[in-house]
Amino acid sequence: MSSGSGAHSAPAPTTHDSDSPPAGGARRAPSPPTEARRRTSMFASLKIRNYRLFFLGQAVSNIGTWMQRIAQDWLVLSLTGSATAVGVTTALQFLPMLLLGLYGGVLVDRLPKRGTLLVTQVAMAVTGLALALLTLTGRVEVWHVYVAALAVGLATVVDNPARQSFVTEMVGPDQLQNAVSLNSANFQSARLIGPAVAGLLITGVGTGWAFLFNGLSFVAPVAGLLLMRARELHAVERAPRAKGQLREGLRYVSGRPELIWPIVLVGFVGTFAFNFPVYLSAFADDVFHMGAGSYSLFNTLMAVGSLAGALLAARRGTARLRVMSVAALAFGVIEIVAAASPTLWMFALLMIPLGLFGMTINVTANTGIQMATDQAMRGRVMALYMMVFLGGSPIGAPIVGWVTDTYGPRAGLAAGGAVAALAATVIGLVMARTGGLRLSVGWAHGHPVVRFVPRERCEELAAVA
């Protein structure tokens, strides 16, 4: 069942899951009114035992993942002395999602997600332990790292959509935005801790120990999955094995404005505006001439903003996709302002709101798309979303890199921000029109208010005036 063309302008629908009984057979009580659920406890989802186990396992594993990312790039650079080799490693890790992401979504819709995650987590643990063994024994070669990166990428093809869609099974639709937001906060917290711990290990005892920590860190999520109570998971409909399910998924998304337009917007923002390794390294080196220290500062402040954005999103009880459009517009405008920043400290401080609005885009799109998707299609839809979001950067990086090299870092960052702002404006207006909304300009509490209201309400206001 489709949620209808107005889903993007109203709180994300819950019709796909709210009528499904839990695995134990008892039907859940109807969801409370939207206004009552608009704000919720920041950590509400952690009251659910299964999700709490999942969250704690991911907290440990995410730190290991960030440690391996740093150690992997440093090891390749040490073995080859080539930045191109580092780029090849990154491409091998993300290319499978770009090429095979939709097929991974088909598999996720067919398979039990908990069992699927157990397999993918074990596979990634074995990869980390193998790299640790090769590195600690002094036998590692660059092609070993290439194979490991490709193996992780292949596991991610299934792991990513399974992990995203499994959240609904653990917490149900009412707590979905809170749980997705806490997942993002979890990942961003690890982004602050993992690289720092990896740096200490690499300089103190070597890269092999960072790989070993990552391999062992998967014990936590695997244990969490095994300890979950299956009877407390929310029942979901699995897609039967059949031909043409990939095309069916694409037709499903293309026929629903509440799905296709958020994915298109995320694609534009992810491809052209989220290429921060290109932008921030260029500003650190070519604009402010401060080297690696300022590059690390920029990334840290952005992670702080992302963490704040995830926690703020956790307090919202609903996912309004128009919030995503406003956040994308603000994100693009702040990038343009940052491009013109005259001082390092002004530029650095703008990284905090950039991280905040960037995380708002991610969380709102993720939650809104899941809630507007039928259960049997969720794996394929989330695979398409992740493919667009993660696969856009490898495509956009050479383009924004060329603009940055040719016209300078300020022009490159401003261009990326302009694309995001323009896409947010156009797609926001398209979503509003599709949902039967009109722009309303009024005055409240001493300041102007600009908002979208239903077309009928706008006509009533005009008649009164």
Side-chain angles (χ1 to χ4, degrees):
M1 177 185 293
S2 171
S3 58
S5 60
H8 53 274
S9 59
T14 59
T15 55
H16 305 299
D17 293 317
S18 58
D19 293 331
S20 299
R27 185 176 296 276
R28 295 188 294 113
S31 300
T34 300
E35 285 296 329
R37 293 188 290 115
R38 185 159 296 169
R39 288 196 179 276
T40 185
S41 168
M42 187 175 290
F43 303 102
S45 298
L46 292 178
K47 297 176 183 178
I48 301 170
R49 181 181 183 275
N50 284 343
Y51 179 73
R52 188 164 62 247
L53 290 169
F54 177 84
F55 182 89
L56 293 174
Q58 289 299 311
V60 177
S61 181
N62 284 336
I63 293 174
T65 298
W66 277 106
M67 290 175 66
Q68 174 142 332
R69 285 187 183 183
I70 300 298
Q72 177 179 278
D73 292 347
W74 186 259
L75 177 60
V76 171
L77 194 61
S78 301
L79 291 172
T80 65
S82 168
T84 301
V86 177
V88 169
T89 309
T90 303
L92 287 171
Q93 189 160 330
F94 287 99
L95 196 61
M97 177 59 74
L98 182 62
L99 299 179
L100 305 172
L102 290 176
Y103 293 97
V106 171
L107 287 176
V108 168
D109 280 336
R110 293 175 180 173
L111 301 172
K113 296 173 183 62
R114 183 183 174 201
T116 301
L117 286 172
L118 281 169
V119 173
T120 58
Q121 297 289 291
V122 169
M124 288 189 279
V126 170
T127 301
L129 294 173
L131 266 182
L133 179 63
L134 289 168
T135 307
L136 292 172
T137 57
R139 298 178 181 177
V140 69
E141 299 179 19
V142 69
W143 70 269
H144 293 143
V145 187
Y146 287 164
V147 171
L150 182 62
V152 170
L154 290 171
T156 302
V157 167
V158 178
D159 183 83
N160 246 329
R163 189 157 29 87
Q164 297 287 337
S165 52
F166 185 54
V167 175
T168 308
E169 293 188 33
M170 290 184 287
V171 304
D174 295 342
Q175 297 289 350
L176 181 60
Q177 170 149 341
N178 183 262
V180 170
S181 303
L182 290 180
N183 285 348
S184 300
N186 192 331
F187 188 75
Q188 294 303 323
S189 299
R191 182 181 174 185
L192 293 172
I193 300 170
V197 177
L200 292 174
L201 283 178
I202 292 170
T203 56
V205 292
T207 56
W209 294 97
F211 294 134
L212 181 62
F213 182 95
N214 180 55
L216 295 176
S217 73
F218 284 98
V219 171
V222 169
L225 289 166
L226 291 174
L227 290 171
M228 287 182 183
R229 295 169 181 164
R231 66 181 181 275
E232 295 179 6
L233 293 173
H234 292 252
V236 297
E237 176 187 356
R238 292 214 303 267
R241 184 182 180 87
K243 292 183 178 181
Q245 287 180 320
L246 180 60
R247 292 190 299 273
E248 182 186 10
L250 292 174
R251 285 196 300 269
Y252 179 87
V253 172
S254 65
R256 287 162 173 78
E258 67 273 21
L259 297 179
I260 188 65
W261 290 117
I263 290 175
V264 170
L265 178 55
V266 165
F268 274 106
V269 174
T271 300
F272 298 103
F274 261 80
N275 283 286
F276 290 109
V278 176
Y279 296 137
L280 300 188
S281 59
F283 267 81
D285 190 40
D286 298 334
V287 177
F288 298 117
H289 309 290
M290 296 297 290
S294 60
Y295 178 63
S296 176
L297 173 65
F298 299 155
N299 280 282
T300 299
L301 291 175
M302 183 168 290
V304 169
S306 298
L307 178 59
L311 292 175
L312 288 173
R315 296 200 62 184
R316 292 195 296 269
T318 57
R320 293 179 179 271
L321 295 185
R322 66 189 181 199
V323 172
M324 182 186 68
S325 298
V326 173
L329 176 60
F331 182 86
V333 170
I334 293 172
E335 277 201 345
I336 295 172
V337 174
S341 299
T343 65
L344 182 145
W345 287 109
M346 181 179 177
F347 182 85
L349 289 175
L350 285 170
M351 295 301 102
I352 297 176
L354 268 182
L356 190 152
F357 285 112
M359 184 54 61
T360 301
I361 298 168
N362 187 11
V363 171
T364 308
N366 188 316
T367 311
I369 289 170
Q370 286 203 55
M371 295 301 291
T373 303
D374 293 320
Q375 294 172 352
M377 287 286 181
R378 194 164 285 152
R380 277 165 283 184
V381 173
M382 292 311 296
L384 178 61
Y385 167 76
M386 296 305 298
M387 185 181 75
V388 170
F389 187 65
L390 296 179
S393 289
I395 297 172
I399 299 174
V400 301
W402 175 81
V403 173
T404 300
D405 287 339
T406 305
Y407 300 102
R410 294 188 185 278
L413 182 59
V419 170
L422 180 61
T425 301
V426 173
I427 293 175
L429 291 173
V430 169
M431 288 195 295
R433 182 177 180 82
T434 305
L437 302 178
R438 283 185 178 176
L439 188 66
S440 172
V441 181
W443 196 268
H445 305 293
H447 59 82
V449 176
V450 181
R451 59 181 178 173
F452 287 108
V453 299
R455 197 180 303 272
E456 296 80 3
R457 174 64 176 160
C458 193
E459 291 171 353
E460 290 175 6
L461 292 174
V464 171

